[in-house]
Amino acid sequence: MKFENQYLTYEEYKEDLKGELSEMSFNLLEYRAEKEIDEQTSDRFKKLKEYPIELKLCINELITEIKKYNEVSNKASETVGSYSVSYDKPVTQEKKKSLNSIIKTYLSEVKVNGVFVLYCGADEK
């Protein structure tokens, strides 16, 4: 599987940010982080050829947060006789708030073509 046009490449993650994830784990988490950002920014970064440092740092922190969330299991039910456990991982409001807060922290002052990336109105054509 090949990942292209990443906001943060694996090489940048390993060399510049001293990341420790394997390449496939990084790629999957980076893709998920991109989707969170694209949702909040109306895909404004997709128009760029070079990505600002704020975006790269935001992706890095989102990867850490998403990975941390994925590692925590929420027990949905447990049966003692003939032991059985099931886990449920709904997207909680708390998780969504946490991801949105990271995005806002890093990208609130970033502009693409003179428009703040977190601006919710229509862009000029």
Side-chain angles (χ1 to χ4, degrees):
M1 187 183 287
K2 186 169 172 120
F3 292 85
E4 296 179 346
N5 301 321
Q6 292 177 302
Y7 293 158
L8 177 67
T9 65
Y10 185 67
E11 291 75 27
E12 292 169 325
Y13 170 75
K14 287 294 276 187
E15 294 171 17
D16 299 337
L17 300 171
K18 306 300 181 213
E20 298 178 2
L21 292 172
S22 69
E23 187 169 5
M24 185 51 72
S25 293
F26 166 82
N27 286 335
L28 294 171
L29 290 167
E30 195 278 344
Y31 182 80
R32 175 76 174 87
E34 271 190 40
K35 294 302 165 201
E36 288 293 329
I37 289 173
D38 290 344
E39 179 183 326
Q40 295 295 316
T41 63
S42 302
D43 293 330
R44 287 185 175 101
F45 287 113
K46 296 283 185 196
K47 302 172 187 174
L48 301 178
K49 296 214 185 302
E50 288 189 34
Y51 303 116
I53 188 71
E54 295 89 349
L55 177 60
K56 293 174 184 292
L57 294 173
C58 183
I59 288 283
N60 186 57
E61 190 161 337
L62 286 172
I63 286 171
T64 301
E65 188 69 19
I66 294 167
K67 181 179 181 292
K68 181 172 64 174
Y69 177 77
N70 288 345
E71 290 172 348
V72 175
S73 299
N74 298 323
K75 199 179 288 186
S77 67
E78 180 174 13
T79 309
V80 176
S82 196
Y83 190 75
S84 169
V85 176
S86 62
Y87 295 93
D88 184 25
K89 294 184 102 171
V91 176
T92 63
Q93 285 296 95
E94 186 177 320
K95 176 196 173 203
K96 195 70 172 163
K97 274 184 175 179
S98 175
L99 297 178
N100 289 344
S101 177
I102 292 168
I103 292 169
K104 185 176 179 183
T105 297
Y106 282 94
L107 303 180
S108 63
E109 299 296 318
V110 177
K111 291 182 179 181
V112 170
N113 297 327
V115 176
F116 287 106
V117 294
L118 295 178
Y119 173 65
C120 294
D123 289 346
E124 291 183 27
K125 297 222 177 208

